[in-house]
Amino acid sequence: MQKKSLIKKITGSREALLAIILIILFALITAVSPSFLTPKSLMDMLKNNAVTLVMALGMLCVMLVGGIDISIMSTLALSGMSIGMLLKYGVISGTVTAFLIAMIIGLVCGALVGLVISRANVPPIIATMGFMYVFRAMGYLVSNGGEWASAAALGSFKNFATSKLLGLNCVIWVIIACYVIFFFFMKWTRTGRKIYAVGSNSNAAEVSGINVKNIKLMVYMIMGFLAGLGGALQVSIYASAMPDMQQGGEMDVIAACVIGGVSMSGGRGSVIGALLGALVLATIAKALPLIPFFDQLWLNTIKGVIILVVVVVNVILQRVTDKNTLKGREM
């Protein structure tokens, strides 16, 4: 009975299933390329996918209220390009100052998106599509028509991505801090519970006294803030700032959440799920160059297949769950 109960718990948990899939992936890739499962290789994988890992937390919040944001990489480019040019021309020099400016720019962008969606009732996909082009164009304007900041122009800021604290890369510490904060925020704060409530049933949430418009505005501001942080990380990790940074990368962030079991209709998803989804994508991206018979062009195909399979599995699991819940109520 205990074995059956354990199996039932594992198969009924998206996070547990995803963790098992991740372990299997690690085992298969290590069998083909033993160099994959080394501390340096794993740390490099996390650092190179830091933007997706961090921004998946913001997308989690947005998707939990039934929204979507495809303007995030334009926000990242605008914030990253802004600090790149400020550093290049000596307007600022401190690493902390650069991070703060990038996050403030991201926060303002997120607030603009959130206001249009929450106050003007514009569908999220339409609003964020418009802002995607606006913010990207602003990034080009900031860059003086396509100029970019190289490693030499960034000064000591680029050293953040190569610095270590207690033996661990500073970028990894940023990822850990973000996930610890969001895990606590989503699980144990009243605001976190309100986000879930709005996504589950916005009408019921409003009747219960939750300001739905403010919650929607807040999640887009969180997303913008993390996009700004992602912009700063991107510039430091790759030691350059260009106006076309991460073009198309928003799909990786959305895919990480979908793979992690976050519902597109809102109300379902977790920080652990978003983390595991992002790690699955990071693992695939890291593994393909290590496997001789795979070409990098396969990456998008594999991502697409995984997303389709996960979505289908999620729909089936949700139908089974809803059916079992209905049976329980009838009994």
Side-chain angles (χ1 to χ4, degrees):
M1 289 291 288
Q2 286 182 347
K3 285 184 179 179
K4 285 184 179 179
S5 177
L6 180 63
I7 292 168
K8 192 174 180 181
K9 281 181 181 179
I10 292 171
T11 54
S13 167
R14 289 183 180 89
E15 288 83 2
L17 282 171
L18 206 54
I20 291 168
I21 290 168
L22 196 58
I23 291 167
I24 293 169
L25 266 176
F26 269 55
L28 290 173
I29 297 162
T30 304
V32 176
S33 177
S35 63
F36 173 76
L37 201 62
T38 60
K40 186 182 182 304
S41 176
L42 294 176
M43 291 303 105
D44 286 344
M45 181 183 79
L46 290 174
K47 189 176 83 169
N48 293 334
N49 290 275
V51 169
T52 301
L53 281 158
V54 168
M55 291 174 66
L57 289 166
M59 191 60 72
L60 165 69
C61 295
V62 169
M63 290 175 68
L64 281 174
V65 299
I68 197 77
D69 191 346
I70 60 171
S71 69
I72 52 173
M73 290 309 175
S74 296
T75 300
L76 175 147
L78 174 58
S79 58
M81 197 67 236
S82 296
I83 62 168
M85 297 304 283
L86 289 172
L87 288 164
K88 180 176 181 177
Y89 290 106
V91 179
I92 60 171
S93 58
T95 299
V96 174
T97 304
F99 267 94
L100 285 173
I101 291 172
M103 290 185 287
I104 290 168
I105 291 171
L107 188 67
V108 171
C109 291
L112 290 172
V113 173
L115 283 170
V116 169
I117 291 169
S118 64
R119 264 54 180 184
N121 292 319
V122 177
I125 188 69
I126 302 299
T128 58
M129 186 186 295
F131 278 112
M132 176 178 70
Y133 292 113
V134 171
F135 295 153
R136 185 67 70 172
M138 288 175 69
Y140 273 96
L141 287 173
V142 168
S143 71
N144 294 326
E147 191 178 331
W148 61 292
S150 62
L154 297 175
S156 61
F157 179 75
K158 65 180 181 295
N159 297 334
F160 178 82
T162 56
S163 301
K164 289 186 177 182
L165 179 65
L166 301 176
L168 203 59
N169 188 281
C170 288
V171 174
I172 309 299
W173 279 117
V174 171
I175 296 169
I176 292 170
C178 286
Y179 274 89
V180 169
I181 291 167
F182 270 81
F183 184 80
F184 176 81
F185 172 69
M186 298 304 295
K187 197 170 182 68
W188 286 300
T189 67
R190 186 178 296 179
T191 306
R193 290 192 291 271
K194 285 180 180 179
I195 292 172
Y196 278 99
V198 170
S200 297
N201 191 323
S202 60
N203 293 328
E206 199 158 13
V207 169
S208 68
I210 296 172
N211 191 320
V212 173
K213 289 183 177 180
N214 282 351
I215 292 295
K216 287 184 177 180
L217 171 60
M218 183 191 69
V219 297
Y220 282 99
M221 288 178 71
I222 290 171
M223 181 72 261
F225 179 83
L226 291 175
L229 174 58
L233 290 173
Q234 172 82 13
V235 172
S236 183
I237 292 167
Y238 295 99
S240 64
M242 295 173 283
D244 62 347
M245 288 185 291
Q246 287 284 350
Q247 199 152 19
E250 58 277 346
M251 293 306 147
D252 282 349
V253 178
I254 295 168
C257 290
V258 172
I259 292 169
V262 183
S263 173
M264 295 290 287
S265 57
R268 294 188 185 93
S270 69
V271 170
I272 300 299
L275 172 62
L276 291 170
L279 287 176
V280 167
L281 286 181
T283 303
I284 293 168
K286 176 73 175 176
L288 284 185
L290 300 175
I291 302 172
F293 50 85
F294 267 120
D295 192 275
Q296 189 68 20
L297 293 173
W298 280 92
L299 182 58
N300 289 332
T301 304
I302 293 170
K303 282 182 190 175
V305 171
I306 289 172
I307 292 166
L308 287 172
V309 170
V310 168
V311 169
V312 171
V313 170
N314 281 346
V315 169
I316 293 169
L317 285 174
Q318 193 53 54
R319 284 178 181 173
V320 172
T321 303
D322 292 342
K323 192 175 179 180
N324 291 337
T325 303
L326 186 62
K327 280 183 180 179
R329 286 174 182 173
E330 288 175 352
M331 289 176 68

